[in-house]
Amino acid sequence: MKRPFYETHGDLTHENKMKTILEAKWNCTLNKLPLKYQLDWMAMRGKDPMAFVEFKHREKLSIGAYPRYMMSLDKWIKARQLTKELQIPFIMVITFADGTYYGVFAHNGVHDLRFMFGGRVDRNDNQDLEPMVLLPLDKFIKLEKL
């Protein structure tokens, strides 16, 4: 059975707004990646790859609500493979209730990661429960407004 696709029109609206902000802030072009890459964008400056970027919109959650952000281990492994191959960082961008923050993760860095088994339980989809990586939110930087 094919897995449901959960991305909504609202998700795409938030993503497009953030794309515009990040392109201006970071002086780059964010190219939407095909689904097989599992990440949202590849940031380019001219013809040079700058980073792989994933965006999450969590405006009902404060950055201080939890010490770590839970991300699919599969997505994390894919991000690590891509960044290792191209020798560029992976950037996780999250909009919280109190602002937008980003964490930069190098392919060869030590990032104080934790791991667990968990995930979403609100959609009654057993495929939402999987190995997860917990990214340390104290390493994230607030994205200042333009």
Side-chain angles (χ1 to χ4, degrees):
M1 184 166 105
K2 189 173 181 179
R3 185 142 194 252
F5 189 68
Y6 291 110
E7 190 170 57
T8 67
H9 178 70
D11 295 333
L12 294 174
T13 299
H14 291 301
E15 187 176 290
N16 287 328
K17 285 181 186 177
M18 184 53 57
K19 178 182 185 291
T20 301
I21 292 167
L22 294 175
E23 286 177 330
K25 188 75 172 170
W26 293 342
N27 186 29
C28 69
T29 301
L30 294 175
N31 296 286
K32 183 71 174 163
L33 292 170
L35 290 175
K36 67 182 177 182
Y37 287 90
Q38 298 183 36
L39 301 173
D40 291 319
W41 302 300
M42 182 178 189
M44 302 287 293
R45 191 166 286 140
K47 293 186 179 188
D48 297 321
M50 189 177 125
F52 286 99
V53 183
E54 175 71 3
F55 171 65
K56 295 295 182 187
H57 187 82
R58 302 290 183 257
E59 71 178 2
K60 294 180 182 175
L61 185 67
S62 167
I63 191 169
Y66 301 99
R68 295 176 178 276
Y69 184 80
M70 187 168 52
M71 176 183 178
S72 160
L73 180 61
D74 186 51
K75 185 175 287 231
W76 173 256
I77 289 169
K78 184 69 170 188
R80 298 283 292 193
Q81 289 171 340
L82 292 168
T83 60
K84 183 178 180 183
E85 189 66 33
L86 276 67
Q87 302 286 301
I88 59 175
F90 165 62
I91 303 174
M92 182 73 185
V93 179
I94 310 169
T95 295
F96 290 103
D98 40 359
T100 298
Y101 295 78
Y102 67 96
V104 180
F105 299 93
H107 67 89
N108 59 351
V110 176
H111 303 296
D112 183 30
L113 302 174
R114 299 286 183 331
F115 302 91
M116 65 174 280
F117 190 88
R120 293 185 68 155
V121 294
D122 60 326
R123 298 190 290 212
N124 199 27
D125 182 346
N126 65 353
Q127 293 294 301
D128 282 343
L129 298 174
E130 61 182 309
M132 306 296 279
V133 60
L134 302 171
L135 305 176
L137 287 172
D138 64 348
K139 306 282 192 240
F140 279 60
I141 300 163
K142 189 168 188 176
L143 184 71
E144 300 301 325
K145 301 231 187 250
L146 289 171

